[in-house]
Amino acid sequence: MAKISDIAKRTGYSNATVSKALNGSPEIPESTVATVKKVARELGYVPSSFARTLKMRRSFNLGVLFVDQTNAGLRHEYFSSILEAAKVEAEKRGYDLTFMSHTNYGGLKMSYLQHAKSRGMDGILIVSANFLDPAVEELAQSGLPVVTIDYVYNGCTAIMSDNENGMNSLFEAAYALGHRKIAFIHGEETDVTKRRIAGFLQAAKAHGLSLPSAYLGEAYYHRPETVMAALEPILRLPDPPTCVFFPDDISAITFLARQTQEAKRIHPLSFAGYDGIDLTKMIHPMLSTYVQNSEEIGTIAIDKLINRIEDPRLFVPEVVKVKGHLQSGDTIQKR
Amino acid sequence: MAKISDIAKRTGYSNATVSKALNGSPEIPESTVATVKKVARELGYVPSSFARTLKMRRSFNLGVLFVDQTNAGLRHEYFSSILEAAKVEAEKRGYDLTFMSHTNYGGLKMSYLQHAKSRGMDGILIVSANFLDPAVEELAQSGLPVVTIDYVYNGCTAIMSDNENGMNSLFEAAYALGHRKIAFIHGEETDVTKRRIAGFLQAAKAHGLSLPSAYLGEAYYHRPETVMAALEPILRLPDPPTCVFFPDDISAITFLARQTQEAKRIHPLSFAGYDGIDLTKMIHPMLSTYVQNSEEIGTIAIDKLINRIEDPRLFVPEVVKVKGHLQSGDTIQKR
DNA sequence: TTGTATGCGTTATCAG
DNA sequence: CTGATAACGCATACAA
């Protein structure tokens, strides 16, 4: 690999001059810069990022915390889309993305924070993790620039998918189509789930509806069997709902694919998913759902993170809510 | 951040001794090692990976090339599962994973190879990319340890999902259920597609069947509309197939979700997907498909890559075929 | 406008 | 068994 000293030798300039020329120092005249850059290109020179990191304490590398848990790993389209968008934005701004881990390095186990410091990471994006894990909290409170998705830590910027708006949009859609008895099967208790339940209940309240508590069912995200199990008793209620909101699109599609013509005729049930995964648009009937704007979430997260890194003085922690949009679809039917 | 010299000061030993003790050099006695490690732990010492990389020319960092193309980005469950497995395996062996890019760094654009060298990457995993892109070829032929998925470069180890076996398994399943007129709508022309077509035709030949060429349709992966469009004329043939293989599960599920009871009665068509995404197991009827073993593919890829890095003398490029398994499902029906 | 010298944290060589 | 010293590639304070 060509290094600065090679360029120095070739051009006759000193290392210092070459370095300055390469980094656009104002003290170097255009002509010198041109010569240096030309030779640099000829030699295929690329700066050694680790040498640079050592000297400058800047790695242009961001850590991504992405722990597969509660079935919400890389395979969850919501998260993988966020990551995809984050990757694109980071690349655009000249940063790399490295997965965080707590591997043993030379025999010494390390925490996320130690890993981050060891690699000289300039900042951290926490996409999916157990936010109550002490190791994650430590990372968030370390003073390192951290941006979180769908969870707020004191002092950190958080990008939140607008779950209240999501539930409200779905509710309004169902209400407008004549539904008054609406059930909601939510996922396991997480921060996001709480927001969704609150959004759901608020929307009901706004319309003066008081829904029986039996209309709330608990299940797990991305585990349709648990959702179907929770749905069962609700449909058996003396006064069953006419519409049900599922915790995610996977459950909703599962439900759709399990419904027989027979069942539909006996018990016509409207329903909606949540997330807006690609498949919901392709199937007939199109799934009614709320499309989370994962692309914008990932993009904004990286944007805010890098802005803080590059100009810390301007930094003030904020909570950014990102709205998605309703996909009307055909599974909430007029009533 | 505590550094070696801090430990040296605290223990009274020199930097050199501390470094050796930490790295398990045989010349340092147990007692010294114990003291040093104790203090290291107390100070929360973690080695600076970039300083280490600079000196040792080893980063313990692997590049992952993952380019979103032909709808096959991170959101494709097959690829994200591979990545997930790779991530787990890499972490287990003490390596980090960094996404490859060709960002401009200090104003200079760089190739994938330059990026890899700049970051001192020890090896590269190519999960999804345009394998004909000169920049990708350059990377593969650079001499850097490279492992590819589903594509073979001369001199590089490749991990291949067994597409021949996949198509053969599906064919056997359909044949056993009485199907003789089987169509295959494949994805756009890629290496993988060629293998699948070959596997399909071989299986037919093995049974002495000669299928009309009109039974082969071309579409795009993960774009169900194109698949449905390709299916249309096939179903209109004077002698239409009784069973059709789709290029992927997404298309198959789309087809399933679009079929009305009506259509099923008029034109009962058996069909199968490909990939084995989670959703296929959850729906009723369960989708008949071939489950690619993405987890093993990702794990083996990293394993082979690190083995080569850690003992290059033992390296010999190989092509590893990873078999998946048939998921019988219910969408190929007896005939 | 350019060059010299120093240090970032680590490991490796060689001498004690 | 331990330590002094150099070197990895780069950026920068300071000197010329």
Side-chain angles (χ1 to χ4, degrees), chain B residues 238-279:
Chain B
D239 191 23
T242 59
C243 180
V244 57
F245 297 158
F246 288 118
D248 52 64
D249 290 338
I250 297 290
S251 311
I253 293 176
T254 302
F255 178 75
L256 174 62
R258 287 188 185 183
Q259 265 188 323
T260 59
Q261 279 312 90
E262 201 64 20
K264 275 187 206 164
R265 211 164 300 128
I266 298 173
H267 197 112
L269 184 65
S270 285
F271 61 98
Y274 203 99
D275 280 347
I277 66 176
D278 290 345
L279 191 53

Side-chain angles (χ1 to χ4, degrees), chain A residues 249 252-261 264 269-273 277-289 327-333, chain B residues 253-261:
Chain A
D249 289 338
I253 293 175
T254 302
F255 178 75
L256 174 61
R258 287 187 186 182
Q259 265 187 323
T260 61
Q261 277 312 87
K264 275 186 208 165
L269 183 65
S270 285
F271 60 97
I277 66 175
D278 289 346
L279 190 53
T280 63
K281 298 171 190 50
M282 298 167 175
I283 56 182
H284 291 311
M286 184 188 274
L287 187 68
S288 302
T289 190
Q327 173 172 298
S328 298
D330 310 309
T331 60
I332 303 181
Q333 280 159 334
Chain B
I253 293 176
T254 302
F255 178 75
L256 174 62
R258 287 188 185 183
Q259 265 188 323
T260 59
Q261 279 312 90

Side-chain angles (χ1 to χ4, degrees), chain A residues 47 49 59-60 66 74-75 84 87 91 94 96-99 103 115 118-119 224 257-258 261 278 282 284, chain B residues 47 49 59-60 66 74-75 84 87 91 94 96-99 103 115 118-119 257-258 261 278 282 284:
Chain A
S49 82
S59 63
F60 294 91
F66 208 117
L74 266 173
R75 314 162 65 134
E84 176 85 41
K87 176 167 168 285
E91 177 162 353
D96 280 337
L97 249 39
T98 298
F99 284 117
T103 328
H115 182 221
S118 156
R119 283 273 178 214
R258 287 187 186 182
Q261 277 312 87
D278 289 346
M282 298 167 175
H284 291 311
Chain B
S49 81
S59 63
F60 294 91
F66 208 118
L74 266 173
R75 313 163 65 134
E84 176 85 41
K87 178 168 167 285
E91 177 164 353
D96 280 337
L97 249 40
T98 297
F99 283 116
T103 326
H115 182 220
S118 157
R119 283 271 179 215
R258 287 188 185 183
Q261 279 312 90
D278 290 345
M282 298 167 178
H284 291 310

Side-chain angles (χ1 to χ4, degrees), chain A residues 9-207:
Chain A
K9 242 171 253 163
R10 260 294 265 284
T11 56
Y13 290 112
S14 72
N15 287 7
T17 303
V18 171
S19 173
K20 287 174 193 163
L22 252 21
N23 292 306
S25 161
E27 36 180 318
I28 309 292
E30 257 318 314
S31 58
T32 316
V33 171
T35 322
V36 168
K37 287 204 169 169
K38 180 164 159 286
V39 173
R41 220 177 333 266
E42 282 168 18
L43 295 175
Y45 170 79
V46 179
S48 157
S49 82
F50 34 95
R52 206 180 217 217
T53 300
L54 183 58
K55 182 67 188 163
M56 301 209 300
R57 346 235 75 209
R58 287 277 272 110
S59 63
F60 294 91
N61 192 22
L62 306 176
V64 178
L65 187 51
F66 208 117
V67 181
D68 188 6
Q69 60 155 39
T70 67
N71 311 303
L74 266 173
R75 314 162 65 134
H76 192 318
E77 193 170 312
Y78 173 61
F79 291 116
S80 58
S81 313
I82 290 177
L83 183 56
E84 176 85 41
K87 176 167 168 285
V88 169
E89 180 68 12
E91 177 162 353
K92 199 178 291 172
R93 309 222 7 204
Y95 285 72
D96 280 337
L97 249 39
T98 298
F99 284 117
M100 300 288 312
S101 74
H102 40 45
T103 328
N104 46 328
Y105 194 73
L108 305 172
K109 276 249 176 218
M110 51 184 176
S111 67
Y112 290 129
L113 179 56
Q114 288 177 319
H115 182 221
K117 290 193 169 174
S118 156
R119 283 273 178 214
M121 288 168 176
D122 294 333
I124 310 291
L125 175 63
I126 304 183
V127 179
S128 164
N130 176 1
F131 292 99
L132 301 178
D133 179 345
V136 178
E137 294 218 47
E138 178 197 40
L139 186 62
Q141 303 303 343
S142 66
L144 241 70
V146 167
V147 168
T148 52
I149 307 283
D150 287 342
Y151 188 88
V152 184
Y153 280 119
N154 184 37
C156 297
T157 285
I159 317 298
M160 317 284 293
S161 185
D162 194 337
N163 285 286
E164 295 82 355
N165 177 257
M167 292 311 294
N168 188 63
S169 301
L170 289 171
F171 200 100
E172 290 299 331
Y175 192 91
L177 288 170
H179 292 276
R180 296 297 178 268
K181 294 186 275 182
I182 306 175
F184 176 33
I185 298 178
H186 54 78
E188 65 268 22
E189 181 168 324
T190 63
D191 231 60
V192 166
T193 304
K194 283 180 202 157
R195 285 171 203 279
R196 292 207 190 148
I197 295 176
F200 174 73
L201 295 176
Q202 275 167 24
K205 194 175 173 189
H207 285 291

Side-chain angles (χ1 to χ4, degrees), chain B residues 113-142:
Chain B
L113 178 56
Q114 288 177 319
H115 182 220
K117 289 193 170 172
S118 157
R119 283 271 179 215
M121 289 168 175
D122 294 333
I124 310 291
L125 175 63
I126 304 183
V127 179
S128 164
N130 177 0
F131 292 100
L132 301 179
D133 178 346
V136 178
E137 293 217 47
E138 178 197 40
L139 186 62
Q141 303 303 345
S142 65

Side-chain angles (χ1 to χ4, degrees), chain B residues 229-242:
Chain B
L231 178 60
E232 186 109 353
I234 293 180
L235 293 185
R236 287 192 202 291
L237 288 173
D239 191 23
T242 59

